[in-house]
Amino acid sequence: MLKHPDDLSTLVALRQKLIREKAIVDQQLKIGVQNQMEETKEALDILGTTKEQVLGVRANMKNIDSLCKDTQGLITDYPRIRKISQTHQNFVATQTLVNNFQELHQDLDRIKNMMRDDMKNILGPAPNLLLVHYQLYKLENLRNTTMHMAKDESLDVKVTLKQYFGRLDQVVEEFEEYLWELSRNMIDLIKNKQGAVIVRLIKIIESEEAADAKSVSTKTERRASRQGLGNKKTDKPAREAKSLRSKFFDVLHDEVSRKFNILMERVDKEPIECLDAIDFVFPDLALVYDDLVPRSPSNYKIFPFFVLEYHRHVYELANKIVTSPELDGGRILHLLRWVREYYASMNHQLGVTEELLEPQLLDGNEQGLLDEYLKLVRTNLVKWINNMMNTASNEFTERTAAPATDSDKLYHMQTASLMFEMVNQQVSLAADSQQSTVMEQVIKECIQVMKDYQQRWRDLITTEMKKQIESPSTTPPGLAEYIMAATNDQIKCAEFADAVLQRMESENLIKNPKNFESARDLLNETMDDFFDVATHGANALLDLAFNDVKDPFSKLHTSNWYEEDPMGLIVATLRDYNDDFRVHLNDYMFNKLIDWMLERLMIAQMDALRNRGARLKFPACTERLEQDRAAVFNFFADYKNPKDLEDDFDAIEQLHKFACSTKRTAYINFYSMKRIYHDLPISLVEDILGRRDDMDRSSIKEVMDPIKEKFKDKDPIDATRSATIFSKVKQ
């Protein structure tokens, strides 16, 4: 009952069912034992009565024997009368034998004509079957009697008689072959509503078996007589045992073998087609149970015979399929599912449990086949992914043409759709197995391949970015476009993985709750990993963009800053990048990229206050800082809600406000900022004050002393507060 792990979910129901069945069986046993006791008592009473009757019969038989001996003396010439009577009996028997001997060939002609009529349609009613057997049986007795009478004659006489009866032997052989042809077509006879033919066939076999048993008994008596163990001499004609029942079952075995041998010849080329082609097993066995069993003697056990014959040939076919060179992953799953359905059909349709079917299909090696299937899945997926990634890697690194675009003008690399086409193919194959463990293992194998795919894209983007940053003159153009394509593919992969999860839920592909939860968690984790790789790609795009504005950033707050507009150049460059990102990058990732770009720009502005040669010249710097903030704000207002931007710009505004404070208001502005941004680094505060041209060392010390005291007062609550943007500023 517990053949597979999925069956554990029905454990409680099985236990209750077994308890009910046990109670019923116990009650039946109790009633059966009581009835048996009563019948045994009654049988003992009958046995006692029978013993008395046997003793009475014995006494009566002795009286009859005594009277017989006494009456022989009362009849005059009794020996002569007895001899004349015996002579008359011998004369009549001889005359009958001679007449039968003379009519032998005429009888054989009539028998052959009747056989010919019946054999015209092997699936017909065969009305002459019993009559033909009866006539042949008589003629065989004639032959046996004649040969027995001639046992003491010369060799020439025996040879002549044997030649005379040769035609009879030939007809008997033809009749037996006709019987076996009928036996080979038993299933078709049942389908053709000719059950009466089967009854007559089995009647003939039973008749011959009875004759064989009588012949064996005669030989036993003859041996006993020779050894002096018998009371009377036995002189009956000998008969060769035909053993038709044994031959009958041999013919049935050969016919079943013939059906399966046809499939065996095709199994190497069409393994699964051959497996599906044995759908005749269950209808045939149902016919045997419904129509053949009622027409057969119970001691033939005809149904168990057919069940085991069919099962053993199915076992051989399944084993040959396992060793077939054409056995791939899909065929392995088909075979495993077919085996489960076979046992279920045997149980539900025919009432034959798995325990009764020996040998066990696949020799109980389902797990080994499953492991082989998973190995094939793993090998094929790795092979496909390697080929796909090799092609994609060449496109990504060589960049001889722009990446492909979809209907929404988004760049893509086509790897996402190809990979999940393979994944969905494996999921569909696993779904056909109808086994939760198979589906879970396939999902795990697919997820492992996805993780390898993610890592390869992560490494590829990192490697190409390094080349671009370190030696831009030697690298092909178009890296940003290809990173956008790879990033879009990762988002598609996350969507495809979610579709697989939705399919698992809607189609109930994994019925075991524990297995489903495991697969669901793995898929959710994989989706998060796809977003992580997409994030890596988006950050690479930002690296490219900010690498192009390194020079303008280095001029901020320096002497050039007061004469030129480096922030205007930064904003213009980033806008050019964003115009491309907005058109060709996934909307979700573009919005995330804008958020990350804003954060990077804020951090870069903060770090720029420490630029080499930076000098805050008052009062000019105050106006320039406001202009820079306004330029950046207006830039991001094209992509984000201005009200949301006010919160994002609060940190840089407060930092600039502190940078432009007077000595009297510096601490107050610092305190306001520190209260909100608990992780504000003191080094940044000190560096900003050091860049002011209106403060000397003593002024800076005067401002910094209370600030340092404030930094010493560690608020325990700060340890539990979330990090702010200042945590990412250089310490």
Side-chain angles (χ1 to χ4, degrees):
M1 293 182 180
L2 302 175
K3 295 292 181 186
H4 307 282
D6 294 353
D7 297 334
L8 290 173
S9 60
T10 63
L11 192 58
V12 175
L14 284 174
R15 185 174 181 274
Q16 292 174 350
K17 177 185 175 185
L18 291 174
I19 290 173
R20 288 195 299 270
E21 291 177 353
K22 182 178 182 297
I24 294 171
V25 171
D26 289 346
Q27 185 63 25
Q28 291 174 343
L29 285 173
K30 185 176 179 181
I31 295 171
V33 169
Q34 187 175 354
N35 292 339
Q36 190 67 32
M37 288 291 293
E38 293 175 357
E39 291 174 1
T40 303
K41 233 172 135 188
E42 184 179 350
L44 288 172
D45 294 339
I46 295 173
L47 191 60
T49 305
T50 304
K51 185 177 180 181
E52 294 176 359
Q53 292 176 350
V54 168
L55 292 174
V57 169
R58 181 184 292 177
N60 292 335
M61 291 298 293
K62 286 183 179 180
N63 291 335
I64 292 171
D65 186 59
S66 177
L67 290 173
C68 183
K69 290 178 181 178
D70 293 343
T71 54
Q72 288 181 11
L74 299 176
I75 300 174
T76 57
D77 297 328
Y78 175 76
R80 184 176 297 174
I81 293 172
R82 185 176 180 182
K83 187 173 182 181
I84 292 171
S85 175
Q86 186 66 42
T87 302
H88 180 265
Q89 291 176 8
N90 291 342
F91 177 77
V92 171
T94 302
Q95 187 179 27
T96 302
L97 180 64
V98 170
N99 291 338
N100 291 336
F101 206 76
Q102 291 174 341
E103 297 173 357
L104 175 65
H105 290 286
Q106 296 176 4
D107 291 341
L108 288 176
D109 289 338
R110 285 197 303 274
I111 290 171
K112 288 205 70 171
N113 288 334
M114 288 189 288
M115 283 175 58
R116 193 176 296 111
D117 291 341
D118 285 357
M119 293 171 68
K120 286 178 182 178
N121 182 10
I122 197 65
L123 300 180
N128 301 315
L129 191 61
L130 286 178
L131 181 58
V132 168
H133 173 258
Y134 175 70
Q135 296 293 341
L136 287 176
Y137 185 80
K138 286 201 308 181
L139 293 180
E140 283 186 289
N141 283 339
L142 171 65
R143 178 197 61 195
N144 293 338
T145 301
T146 302
M147 296 302 293
H148 181 69
M149 292 172 63
K151 65 181 179 179
D152 296 328
E153 300 297 328
S154 65
L155 181 61
D156 290 343
V157 172
K158 293 179 182 179
V159 170
T160 301
L161 287 173
K162 195 165 185 180
Q163 290 174 348
Y164 187 79
F165 286 111
R167 189 182 174 203
L168 172 61
D169 295 337
Q170 182 181 355
V171 174
V172 169
E173 186 176 337
E174 291 175 3
F175 179 69
E176 285 190 10
E177 183 54 39
Y178 176 49
L179 292 181
W180 305 144
E181 188 63 24
L182 290 174
S183 301
R184 283 188 280 270
N185 288 276
M186 283 183 75
I187 301 295
D188 292 331
L189 284 168
I190 293 173
K191 293 178 181 178
N192 208 34
K193 307 298 182 184
Q194 296 297 339
V197 176
I198 297 173
V199 173
R200 291 194 283 271
L201 169 64
I202 293 178
K203 192 71 178 174
I204 292 170
I205 293 173
E206 284 293 281
S207 173
E208 292 293 339
E209 284 293 299
D212 286 349
K214 189 175 180 181
S215 174
V216 171
S217 176
T218 299
K219 290 178 181 178
T220 303
E221 291 177 4
R222 187 174 295 160
R223 283 196 300 270
S225 176
R226 285 198 299 267
Q227 295 171 4
L229 301 175
N231 294 324
K232 117 179 138 168
K233 185 177 180 181
T234 300
D235 192 23
K236 296 180 181 179
R239 167 193 161 93
E240 292 296 328
K242 293 187 177 181
S243 304
L244 290 192
R245 177 173 165 178
S246 175
K247 293 178 181 177
F248 169 69
F249 283 106
D250 288 343
V251 169
L252 294 181
H253 167 80
D254 293 341
E255 176 60 17
V256 174
S257 298
R258 184 192 66 79
K259 288 182 178 180
F260 279 88
N261 286 340
I262 296 173
L263 299 176
M264 287 287 193
E265 294 173 358
R266 298 166 42 203
V267 75
D268 286 337
K269 296 180 180 178
E270 303 172 329
I272 297 304
E273 289 77 2
C274 292
L275 197 64
D276 293 335
I278 59 175
D279 54 357
F280 61 83
V281 169
F282 301 108
D284 282 7
L285 292 178
L287 282 173
V288 170
Y289 186 82
D290 294 335
D291 296 286
L292 189 53
V293 169
R295 293 177 170 86
S296 306
S298 58
N299 62 339
Y300 274 41
K301 298 181 179 178
I302 198 75
F303 183 64
F305 171 81
F306 269 99
V307 167
L308 290 178
E309 280 297 321
Y310 274 104
H311 176 73
R312 285 164 184 163
H313 284 84
V314 169
Y315 167 82
E316 292 176 4
L317 182 65
N319 279 356
K320 192 165 185 182
I321 289 174
V322 169
T323 59
S324 169
E326 298 295 322
L327 194 65
D328 56 16
R331 290 186 171 103
I332 289 175
L333 284 184
H334 188 99
L335 177 60
L336 290 171
R337 185 191 65 187
W338 189 91
V339 168
R340 294 190 69 186
E341 290 176 351
Y342 170 81
Y343 280 124
S345 298
M346 278 289 189
N347 191 13
H348 297 152
Q349 296 183 29
L350 303 171
V352 181
T353 62
E354 186 174 343
E355 292 76 13
L356 298 177
L357 296 170
E358 292 292 341
Q360 190 176 7
L361 292 185
L362 307 178
D363 295 319
N365 192 34
E366 288 88 347
Q367 186 58 47
L369 271 179
L370 177 57
D371 293 341
E372 181 65 25
Y373 164 70
L374 294 174
K375 181 180 177 182
L376 283 173
V377 169
R378 188 181 309 116
T379 302
N380 290 336
L381 283 175
V382 169
K383 180 180 177 182
W384 293 333
I385 290 296
N386 284 339
N387 291 338
M388 181 184 71
M389 283 303 299
N390 288 337
T391 302
S393 297
N394 290 335
E395 292 179 8
F396 192 87
T397 55
E398 294 173 3
R399 301 191 286 278
T400 55
T405 57
D406 61 13
S407 57
D408 295 325
K409 298 183 179 179
L410 300 182
Y411 287 135
H412 65 89
M413 293 293 296
Q414 299 182 332
T415 55
S417 55
L418 287 174
M419 181 175 70
F420 275 88
E421 183 179 340
M422 293 183 284
V423 168
N424 280 310
Q425 181 183 1
Q426 296 304 323
V427 170
S428 297
L429 286 173
D432 289 341
S433 72
Q434 300 176 354
Q435 295 188 50
S436 295
T437 52
V438 174
M439 179 59 71
E440 183 189 8
Q441 292 299 320
V442 168
I443 291 293
K444 286 183 178 178
E445 292 296 338
C446 291
I447 286 173
Q448 185 57 51
V449 168
M450 292 180 208
K451 288 186 178 296
D452 294 341
Y453 170 85
Q454 293 163 354
Q455 189 59 48
R456 291 183 70 168
W457 271 117
R458 189 188 295 271
D459 294 343
L460 189 58
I461 291 171
T462 301
T463 302
E464 289 302 302
M465 273 299 302
K466 185 178 180 182
K467 291 179 183 177
Q468 180 69 30
I469 300 297
E470 293 179 353
S471 54
S473 60
T474 61
T475 57
L479 180 58
E481 288 81 358
Y482 272 87
I483 292 178
M484 280 191 276
T487 301
N488 290 337
D489 265 20
Q490 300 305 311
I491 299 299
K492 279 188 179 180
C493 286
E495 293 171 354
F496 288 144
D498 185 59
V500 172
L501 179 57
Q502 298 303 321
R503 179 184 177 187
M504 277 171 45
E505 292 177 343
S506 61
E507 298 181 17
N508 196 22
L509 297 181
I510 302 181
K511 296 177 177 58
N512 186 293
K514 187 175 180 181
N515 292 349
F516 173 77
E517 290 176 7
S518 174
R520 180 193 61 196
D521 293 343
L522 286 172
L523 277 172
N524 283 329
E525 180 185 334
T526 304
M527 283 187 271
D528 293 340
D529 291 341
F530 280 122
F531 281 111
D532 289 344
V533 180
T535 300
H536 182 69
N539 282 319
L541 292 174
L542 291 177
D543 289 341
L544 285 175
F546 278 86
N547 185 61
D548 279 357
V549 293
K550 274 195 311 182
D551 186 60
F553 264 115
S554 67
K555 294 180 180 180
L556 289 178
H557 313 129
T558 65
S559 58
N560 292 332
W561 179 53
Y562 296 96
E563 299 171 1
E564 302 172 5
D565 185 16
M567 184 57 73
L569 181 58
I570 291 169
V571 168
T573 303
L574 295 180
R575 189 183 300 278
D576 288 341
Y577 272 102
N578 280 356
D579 289 344
D580 208 20
F581 295 159
R582 175 178 267 172
V583 175
H584 299 298
L585 190 63
N586 174 274
D587 287 343
Y588 170 81
M589 287 310 300
F590 176 72
N591 291 329
K592 298 295 288 184
L593 181 140
I594 292 297
D595 290 337
W596 298 328
M597 179 182 284
L598 174 59
E599 183 182 70
R600 281 205 186 192
L601 195 49
M602 294 297 104
I603 294 170
Q605 281 185 276
M606 294 174 186
D607 286 334
L609 290 167
R610 296 164 154 175
N611 278 344
R612 178 180 296 179
R615 198 71 177 161
L616 297 178
K617 300 177 181 179
F618 286 89
C621 69
T622 303
E623 183 181 352
R624 294 294 288 136
L625 289 173
E626 289 178 357
Q627 289 175 355
D628 285 356
R629 288 201 308 274
V632 174
F633 188 92
N634 293 332
F635 167 63
F636 282 103
D638 291 342
Y639 312 108
K640 292 174 68 70
N641 190 321
K643 289 184 178 181
D644 296 334
L645 281 176
E646 291 176 2
D647 293 335
D648 296 325
F649 273 74
D650 181 69
I652 193 66
E653 284 182 3
Q654 292 211 38
L655 189 63
H656 285 176
K657 185 178 179 182
F658 169 75
C660 298
S661 301
T662 63
K663 287 196 294 183
R664 190 168 50 185
T665 60
Y667 180 78
I668 296 173
N669 291 335
F670 161 76
Y671 182 78
S672 299
M673 184 167 50
K674 177 66 174 174
R675 189 176 56 181
I676 300 172
Y677 303 100
H678 64 93
D679 48 4
L680 173 67
I682 190 172
S683 59
L684 178 61
V685 174
E686 196 165 8
D687 286 343
I688 290 173
L689 293 176
R691 297 298 192 275
R692 292 181 58 150
D693 68 347
D694 62 339
M695 285 189 181
D696 54 18
R697 289 186 179 182
S698 61
S699 300
I700 294 173
K701 184 176 184 305
E702 184 180 345
V703 174
M704 282 300 301
D705 285 344
I707 291 176
K708 289 180 179 179
E709 288 298 321
K710 181 61 182 174
F711 268 98
K712 290 179 182 179
D713 297 336
K714 297 292 185 181
D715 191 341
I717 299 177
D718 290 347
T720 61
R721 293 168 66 184
S722 301
T724 72
I725 191 171
F726 284 104
S727 64
K728 300 179 182 180
V729 175
K730 295 177 183 177
Q731 298 297 320

